[in-house]
Amino acid sequence: MIEVNNINKQFEGIKVLENISASFQPGAVNMVIGKSGSGKTVFLKCLIGLLQPDSGEILYDKKDLLKMKHRDLKQLRRKMGMLFQGSALFDSKTVLENVMFPLDMFSRKNNREKRKRAEFCLERVNLLDAANLFPSEISGGMMKRAAIARAIALNPKFLFCDEPNSGLDPKSSQLIDELILDITKDFEMTSIVVSHDLNSVMNIGDYIIFLNEGIKEWEGTKDGILNSNNSKMNDFVFASDVFKKIKDAGDMIAGADDSLMLGQ
Amino acid sequence: MSLKSNIESVGDYALLLKRVLSRPDRHREFFKEFFKEVYKLGVSSIWIVVIISFFIGAVIVMQIALNITTPLLPRFTVGAVSREIIILEFSSTIMCLILSGKVGSNIASEIGTMKITEQVDALEIMGVNSANYLILPKVAAFVAYMPVLVIFSMFTGIYGGYLICDILGTPSVETYVYGIQFYFRSALVWKSIAKSMIFGFIIASVSAYNGYNVKGGALNVGKASTNSVVTNSILILLTDLVFTQLTST
């Protein structure tokens, strides 16, 4: 479980995160949503220790990341898997070598076992056919899948995804979403997904927090998104025509129900 | 750049070196990368070293032969002086200045690109010491391979001079070879190799520092690459000055 208490972060006097607290449960896809520039990626980078917050605490199974010794931090990081926005696959290695890399660095398995594990991960993301290709030879969606395979190679407890659908077509986006959901449930991971894609949120989000200008404006489940009273949240959600129509349709049905009730 | 930012850069460089020079996470992985870098940075530089050394060696001999015309100096002086220039300065200092362009910009742009495409962050998230994993094999490989490049450069430089003597006939090949052997001290070769290894360390580590600190986009990768070549050139010349003074007393 990951708990965040009163995280603050500013860059050159500009507040990027302000007093953010949240709790992320295992086996659930936790989503951090918000407009571009709302502080989502900075929040994620603070969570994984790539950025140091100015104040607050980040607890991984009750242990504060910010007070951990270097050795403990290294141990913790081996339990983390991360899917970057641009996939961040190593250009000089093939897809298989990329997936094998964390195993080469940290696993005590022999070469055959490592290869078998890497192939299992690639099979899991349906990418075994591209095992011997270089990242430059595969599509964006395949890169994301390869990055997921690499992220799960060491069987992590925590999975972090930064805009997993950016630059992907709707079909590939859905595939990546389903993959994240399945992996989270299958391996009982604590997944934190940063996104501004509302389709993803409605597809896979179990617990959602909405950031606006560095402030946590709203939190809840996906069912609450369409009925939220938070104006900033509504501005964000109903900027999309599709969701506006869904909301209008919902309101019409509710109105019809009310008139029927009155008629009775 | 202000004095403050220069001092900060020196501090950052020292802190990065501390991370680079730590024990590798996996020795097997380190040696795998080390041999890859030996090929990429060292072996692939042999041709440029050979071509440049050959022509510059020939030109040095031609210039000296043309300018030493006084009958007070014996003709074998051409060989002796060319040898000193090639061994002491050309094969180490000038060759390293050239290599700082080829190898230095390669290292800075490679690491810089990895930085902006979040590959360095990916290593950190996995719990890998990214500075150590990426930079140490490059520094170790380049420093270790430097003597090979220097020796190649010395031989081809001197051979370039030999060939020009053979073609122009002045001085004669025999006189040139006599001059090359005249009062030869092997210590000069060792001095040159030691110097080039220091330069190799500067080229690899300073370029890696520039690449590792890239922020932003592709434009900054180009800037880091240029900065590394400029900084390397200045540091090589300064170090050469200090080294020559220290070893000549």
Side-chain angles (χ1 to χ4, degrees):
Chain A
M1 183 170 145
I2 304 171
E3 281 175 273
V4 178
N5 296 322
N6 303 315
I7 287 289
N8 286 287
K9 178 76 187 167
Q10 56 180 10
F11 292 106
E12 292 166 3
I14 300 163
K15 283 183 179 173
V16 181
L17 298 177
E18 225 178 314
N19 267 332
I20 295 188
S21 299
S23 161
F24 303 108
Q25 299 298 328
V29 178
N30 305 278
M31 299 198 78
V32 181
I33 60 170
K35 290 185 286 191
S36 300
S38 58
K40 305 184 296 288
T41 302
V42 173
F43 178 63
L44 189 73
K45 285 191 172 176
C46 286
L47 276 185
I48 54 182
L50 279 181
L51 286 174
Q52 189 88 5
D54 300 329
S55 61
E57 52 182 17
I58 298 164
L59 305 172
Y60 281 82
D61 297 332
K62 308 279 180 206
K63 286 180 194 154
D64 193 349
L65 173 88
L66 307 171
K67 289 179 187 155
M68 270 183 200
K69 286 180 186 160
H70 182 67
R71 202 185 163 141
D72 296 332
L73 186 63
K74 264 187 121 171
Q75 287 296 328
L76 174 69
R77 286 206 162 139
R78 285 170 201 176
K79 294 179 191 163
M80 291 179 180
M82 170 93 189
L83 171 61
F84 285 88
Q85 199 170 348
S87 303
L89 294 174
F90 304 125
D91 301 325
S92 57
K93 296 180 190 292
T94 62
V95 168
L96 182 69
E97 285 166 347
N98 262 287
V99 181
M100 277 180 78
F101 180 78
L103 299 162
D104 284 336
M105 293 304 286
F106 302 115
S107 155
R108 302 222 171 270
K109 290 174 179 165
N110 64 35
N111 241 350
R112 207 168 58 89
E113 289 170 326
K114 281 189 272 190
R115 201 185 164 90
K116 214 172 147 187
R117 170 72 189 164
E119 282 173 350
F120 166 78
C121 294
L122 283 173
E123 179 91 69
R124 187 73 190 73
V125 298
N126 201 13
L127 205 65
L128 202 50
D129 293 344
N132 294 317
L133 297 177
F134 283 91
S136 57
E137 296 170 326
I138 58 177
S139 69
M142 288 162 95
M143 276 192 203
K144 295 265 161 119
R145 282 190 278 152
I148 292 176
R150 185 178 68 181
I152 60 169
L154 283 175
N155 228 340
K157 263 182 92 173
F158 311 103
L159 179 69
F160 302 92
C161 306
D162 186 11
E163 306 273 7
N165 301 325
S166 69
L168 297 183
D169 62 87
K171 183 102 182 137
S172 304
S173 290
Q174 200 182 353
L175 200 77
I176 297 291
D177 285 343
E178 282 165 7
L179 212 52
I180 292 170
L181 182 68
D182 291 349
I183 286 165
T184 304
K185 304 291 175 197
D186 290 355
F187 300 109
E188 264 298 295
M189 285 191 283
T190 305
S191 294
I192 299 178
V193 180
V194 160
S195 181
H196 54 228
D197 182 353
L198 279 168
N199 289 324
S200 288
V201 177
M202 299 315 272
N203 278 344
I204 61 169
D206 290 318
Y207 167 71
I208 296 124
I209 71 172
F210 170 65
L211 294 187
N212 186 56
E213 291 173 5
I215 298 166
K216 189 176 82 177
E217 286 285 350
W218 183 89
E219 66 184 311
T221 60
K222 62 184 167 194
D223 302 325
I225 286 184
L226 297 178
N227 304 313
S228 159
N229 294 322
N230 186 300
S231 59
K232 282 167 187 162
M233 173 75 171
N234 287 341
D235 283 350
F236 173 71
V237 174
F238 300 118
S240 155
D241 268 356
V242 177
F243 284 92
K244 210 171 176 178
K245 280 173 187 163
I246 292 172
K247 167 95 171 147
D248 291 345
D251 288 347
M252 265 173 65
I253 292 166
D257 284 350
D258 287 349
S259 352
L260 274 172
M261 293 272 281
L262 284 171
Q264 279 172 354
Chain B
M1 258 166 72
S2 68
L3 181 67
K4 192 185 163 208
S5 68
N6 275 324
I7 294 169
E8 276 174 0
S9 297
V10 173
D12 285 344
Y13 173 71
L15 288 173
L16 181 72
L17 274 190
K18 194 183 156 206
R19 288 187 64 204
V20 170
L21 301 173
S22 56
R23 201 169 147 266
D25 287 314
R26 272 283 161 101
H27 284 89
R28 220 183 95 179
E29 287 304 304
F30 166 75
F31 283 112
K32 215 161 92 181
E33 291 301 313
F34 173 82
F35 287 113
K36 268 189 206 168
E37 297 298 340
V38 163
Y39 180 78
K40 203 168 72 186
L41 304 178
V43 178
S44 68
S45 300
I46 282 181
W47 280 111
I48 185 136
V49 167
V50 165
I51 291 166
I52 292 172
S53 302
F54 179 83
F55 284 102
I56 298 289
V59 170
I60 287 172
V61 171
M62 271 168 80
Q63 286 287 2
I64 292 170
L66 280 171
N67 288 292
I68 299 181
T69 48
T70 166
L72 294 171
L73 281 174
R75 285 306 276 166
F76 70 77
T77 314
V78 175
V81 172
S82 303
R83 179 197 69 204
E84 298 288 297
I85 293 171
I86 290 170
I87 291 180
L88 265 182
E89 286 307 317
F90 173 73
S91 294
S92 50
T93 312
I94 307 298
M95 197 43 70
C96 281
L97 282 174
I98 293 162
L99 287 175
S100 82
K102 182 188 179 287
V103 174
S105 60
N106 176 305
I107 293 175
S109 54
E110 183 187 322
I111 297 179
T113 307
M114 287 186 79
K115 183 86 181 181
I116 63 163
T117 53
E118 296 177 311
Q119 293 175 50
V120 174
D121 288 345
L123 284 168
E124 287 292 328
I125 290 301
M126 287 176 204
V128 177
N129 175 350
S130 61
N132 175 275
Y133 177 78
L134 293 174
I135 302 172
L136 187 62
K138 292 186 197 299
V139 174
F142 198 51
V143 171
Y145 203 74
M146 213 57 203
V148 178
L149 293 176
V150 169
I151 289 166
F152 259 98
S153 170
M154 286 173 186
F155 272 102
T156 45
I158 288 169
Y159 183 69
Y162 176 92
L163 222 66
I164 214 71
C165 291
D166 197 25
I167 294 165
L168 300 177
T170 174
S172 68
V173 168
E174 292 75 24
T175 314
Y176 175 74
V177 172
Y178 178 75
I180 291 288
Q181 292 170 339
F182 180 75
Y183 195 52
F184 173 74
R185 289 163 295 153
S186 60
L188 293 186
V189 175
W190 295 116
K191 210 162 127 178
S192 180
I193 288 174
K195 205 161 69 167
S196 69
M197 287 170 86
I198 296 172
F199 296 156
F201 181 82
I202 291 171
I203 293 171
S205 61
V206 170
S207 309
Y209 166 77
N210 277 294
Y212 200 80
N213 285 296
V214 167
K215 286 187 182 98
L219 193 69
N220 292 328
V221 175
K223 273 185 193 163
S225 182
T226 311
N227 277 348
S228 73
V229 177
V230 173
T231 317
N232 280 332
S233 305
I234 295 168
L235 287 175
I236 286 169
L237 293 172
L238 276 175
T239 313
D240 188 34
L241 199 74
V242 173
F243 191 88
T244 308
Q245 178 60 27
L246 286 177
T247 53
S248 61
T249 49

